Amino acid sequence: MTARIPGREAIRKKGMVQAAKWLALRRLSQLAILQLFLLGPFAGVWIVRGSFSASMTLDFLPLTDPLTALQSLLAGHALGATALIGALIVAVFYLLVGGRAYCSWACPVNLVTDAAAWLGRRLDLKKSIGFNNTIRYWLLGFILLLAPLTGAVVWEWVNPVTILQRGLLFGIGLGWAVVAAIFLFDLLVVRRGWCGHLCPVGAFYSLPGFLSLLRVRAARRDQCTDCMDCYSVCPEPQVIRPALNGGDKGSPVILSGNCTNCGRCIDVCPQDVFQFSQRF
Amino acid sequence: MNGQHNTSGNGQPKEPARRRFLAETLTAAAGALVLAASLGLYQRSAGALPAYACRPPGALPEKQFLGACLRCGQCVRGCPYDVLHLAAPGEEIPTGTPYFVARENPCRMCEDIPCLKACPSGALNRSLATVYESSMGLAVLLDHENCLNHLGLRCDVCYRACPLIDQAITLEVQVNRRSGVHTLFIPTVHSDHCTGCGMCEYACVLDNAAIKVLPLSQARGKLGKHYRLGWEEKEKAGGSLIPEQLKLPVRRPEELP
Ligand code: SF4
Ligand code: SF4
Ligand code: SF4
Ligand code: SF4
């Protein structure tokens, strides 16, 4: 028996478009965001200025990464009004669409870690050392503690996430090494190691996700044939079980803030068990 | 008490599971602590800005700046002369923070300061009234041996390049002791006007500039707290601080017995 390739059956049953819809939209969104940032410096079309940390769209819409803003506040800086308003807008937005939608729809690191996960599945690298996925919350805590202790936004010295984000927009220097390290770590050491276990930025964005309106629902879970394709492709597979296999009493909604709302489970399920819905 | 009761009630498996959970959590916490602590230490060792890098106009003092700047690059995008860069990993400058290198591309001191206006965080301080009040650094004529004016020639290029000519840089006249008959026109920077824009360093005709913009912390000396300048104290007191000059008798050798 050859290994089952997740998504194959869905393609056969639903067709390519339905079986890769959300994946394609997500890639489109990730690339479009980068394009918008680069349109100014490269084509002189100034729609968005700045980067993922903080930006200004069409001279009136400020957006700020709330985690960076929080660190700056904790470091003792009275943050400018533009940055504060921007952080508020972003926070409200992710309260609606699910915090870690940031990870799957915006953050370019996702392209790297998705590639590592895809290659790992293709090469059938099942073995990966066990690793506690709460470490990211501890890291998040310590990062927030380091800001007031040092009076600086210290995390930004080494944050691989912004190193790649900024690197793509302003020049990356030796940052490639960091990105390569993440890729290899994910591929060879811990599957979904960075985004699924370590990344404190993702941990931070998971917090609004625990309350957010937009969620994935295993609406037709009675149709599930236990093919496990959704578990194979999900970047946070532990979030599916309560909704899909939680029994009749459990909610069919994926409630964990760590669901990235990537919609890949919706794509690959041959039975169309999942769909986007609101929390209630 | 309670724990014992639980164990006996629910049988054996609960204890190892809880223990494993505790152990895993502790490992995670310890791992995160190690990472965070090394980050804190690393930041300490990589503290100061190198001498060749200047912050954009209006930047808060370096220590505060590192707590304020969001590393967003809006200042970089705002600059019409592409003066500013964000530091990439591997550079000596804290990752992601904006800087410029005067010798490569100096600040043109735009009247409307677009870099500062673009800053959302206040790391570039809005209370800067005009660009002429900024202090991105301080120009210092470092090399008195190769500066052409010091050699007795009339280069004057830094002086002419300075947007605050005759205020930030003046030419001070000295005797040329080598020839005995000529004059030296010594470029002299005045800290109360120099903004650290770096036009002088950029313009210097030597292969390696004789005049360089340095961070204020490196360019300026600092008097000890106990120093009082007699002439200033005298002015403050509105007269001499010593009530009466003591007149000592003049002793000459012939007056000795
Ligand atoms: S549960 Fe579905 S939508 Fe959520 S992260 Fe997993 S695959 Fe993506
Ligand atoms: S003042 Fe003008 S030239 Fe100088 S850094 Fe700002 S935008 Fe650039
Ligand atoms: S615009 Fe302000 S916050 Fe953004 S990088 Fe420049 S100095 Fe830092
Ligand atoms: S840095 Fe040089 S050019 Fe700029 S104000 Fe100072 S002396 Fe003038």
Side-chain angles (χ1 to χ4, degrees):
Chain A
M1 195 190 97
T2 53
R4 180 185 169 90
I5 296 175
R8 274 295 150 85
E9 197 190 334
I11 294 177
R12 220 174 36 243
K13 271 187 138 170
K14 311 196 286 188
M16 195 64 197
V17 175
Q18 283 305 312
K21 183 172 68 186
W22 294 110
L23 180 64
L25 284 174
R26 222 151 54 70
R27 294 287 176 257
L28 213 66
S29 149
Q30 287 165 327
L31 296 176
I33 291 170
L34 287 174
Q35 285 312 306
L36 280 174
F37 280 127
L38 290 173
L39 222 50
F42 284 106
V45 183
W46 290 105
I47 300 172
V48 186
R49 286 169 196 271
S51 68
F52 292 79
S53 307
S55 63
M56 177 61 84
T57 302
L58 293 173
D59 289 330
F60 80 90
L61 176 67
L63 297 174
T64 311
D65 173 45
L67 178 57
T68 317
L70 184 60
Q71 289 174 79
S72 175
L73 286 170
L74 288 173
H77 174 62
L79 209 55
T82 317
L84 280 178
I85 294 168
L88 215 68
I89 295 174
V90 171
V92 170
F93 177 74
Y94 283 113
L95 265 174
L96 292 176
V97 303
R100 293 203 62 193
Y102 173 81
C103 302
S104 59
W105 291 82
C107 181
V109 178
N110 175 267
L111 293 165
V112 178
T113 56
D114 268 3
W118 176 83
L119 195 62
R121 279 200 300 272
R122 273 306 151 98
L123 302 177
D124 216 12
L125 301 174
K126 287 258 165 58
K127 279 256 150 32
S128 115
I129 62 166
F131 208 66
N132 192 308
N133 68 12
T134 57
I135 193 169
R136 50 188 160 188
Y137 291 103
W138 290 99
L139 267 177
L140 175 62
F142 288 130
I143 284 162
L144 292 179
L145 208 66
L146 271 179
L149 283 180
T150 58
V153 186
V154 180
W155 170 234
E156 285 309 305
W157 249 276
V158 295
N159 181 358
V161 179
T162 44
I163 283 177
L164 179 64
Q165 295 174 342
R166 204 183 303 112
L168 290 170
L169 307 176
F170 294 89
I172 194 158
L174 294 183
W176 280 120
V178 182
V179 180
I182 285 184
F183 182 81
L184 294 175
F185 179 68
D186 268 31
L187 184 66
L188 303 174
V189 188
V190 183
R191 223 172 142 188
R192 294 289 179 185
W194 175 255
C195 297
H197 296 76
L198 280 176
C199 178
V201 181
F204 177 81
Y205 276 96
S206 80
L207 301 176
F210 284 101
L211 303 169
S212 71
L213 194 63
L214 183 70
R215 296 279 75 191
V216 171
R217 179 189 295 258
R220 296 174 359 117
R221 58 182 170 182
D222 49 325
Q223 303 291 311
C224 172
T225 59
D226 285 328
C227 72
M228 304 301 275
D229 277 4
C230 56
Y231 285 99
S232 308
V233 296
C234 177
E236 300 279 344
Q238 78 282 2
V239 307
I240 297 182
R241 190 172 306 279
L244 186 61
N245 313 96
D248 288 338
K249 283 210 204 86
S251 161
V253 178
I254 293 176
L255 293 169
S256 167
N258 275 315
C259 167
T260 67
N261 274 359
C262 68
R264 192 67 186 128
C265 52
I266 307 177
D267 278 349
V268 300
C269 178
Q271 299 293 106
D272 268 338
V273 165
F274 300 95
Q275 65 188 52
F276 276 122
S277 78
Q278 39 84 0
R279 162 178 300 265
F280 307 102
Chain B
M1 241 350 238
N2 208 4
Q4 262 176 12
H5 188 76
N6 260 348
T7 324
S8 58
N10 294 341
Q12 296 296 55
K14 187 153 190 181
E15 262 310 307
R18 179 186 293 161
R19 213 172 267 172
R20 222 193 64 202
F21 173 75
L22 255 174
E24 271 191 8
T25 309
L26 278 178
T27 320
L33 183 61
V34 170
L35 287 177
S38 30
L39 170 56
L41 289 176
Y42 167 65
Q43 182 264 343
R44 260 189 183 204
S45 66
L49 201 62
Y52 60 83
C54 305
R55 294 293 186 203
L60 296 173
E62 186 63 12
K63 210 175 165 303
Q64 282 158 266
F65 185 80
L66 292 176
C69 172
L70 302 173
R71 284 78 166 159
C72 70
Q74 291 188 64
C75 51
V76 176
R77 297 295 190 232
C79 174
Y81 299 98
D82 273 337
V83 164
L84 301 173
H85 311 281
L86 292 187
E91 291 180 52
E92 296 169 273
I93 304 153
T95 309
T97 55
Y99 71 96
F100 68 94
V101 178
R103 185 64 166 166
E104 286 167 8
N105 198 356
C107 169
R108 312 303 199 287
M109 298 218 282
C110 314
E111 295 278 347
D112 53 344
I113 337 181
C115 51
L116 182 145
K117 287 215 179 107
C119 178
S121 69
L124 308 182
N125 195 347
R126 299 235 166 192
S127 61
L128 190 74
T130 71
V131 75
Y132 301 106
E133 254 110 272
S134 55
S135 47
M136 301 170 257
L138 178 62
V140 182
L141 182 58
L142 285 165
D143 189 348
H144 292 194
E145 290 170 352
N146 290 302
C147 168
L148 298 180
N149 274 30
H150 262 280
L151 291 172
L153 306 164
R154 287 300 302 269
C155 162
D156 297 358
V157 163
C158 58
Y159 164 74
R160 304 232 170 259
C162 179
L164 292 162
I165 185 172
D166 283 328
Q167 292 176 284
I169 305 190
T170 54
L171 294 177
E172 302 298 323
V173 179
Q174 276 179 23
V175 175
N176 184 342
R177 293 196 189 276
R178 182 176 54 78
S179 71
V181 291
H182 298 98
T183 307
L184 300 180
F185 293 83
I186 303 299
T188 307
V189 178
H190 303 277
S191 66
D192 44 349
H193 286 110
C194 173
T195 62
C197 70
M199 285 303 280
C200 51
E201 180 179 344
Y202 180 67
C204 177
V205 300
L206 302 192
D207 285 352
N208 183 10
I211 189 166
K212 289 195 169 90
V213 173
L214 299 177
L216 284 175
S217 61
Q218 293 180 39
R220 303 209 59 164
K222 196 174 170 199
L223 277 179
K225 275 205 282 292
H226 58 289
Y227 276 80
R228 299 286 177 276
L229 301 177
W231 54 94
E232 282 182 3
E233 297 300 318
K234 190 171 170 181
E235 208 165 292
K236 255 192 256 167
S240 175
L241 295 171
I242 316 169
E244 228 170 78
Q245 205 84 8
L246 207 57
K247 280 255 176 351
L248 290 170
V250 185
R251 294 186 189 276
R252 292 196 181 87
E254 54 264 34
E255 285 174 20
L256 290 172

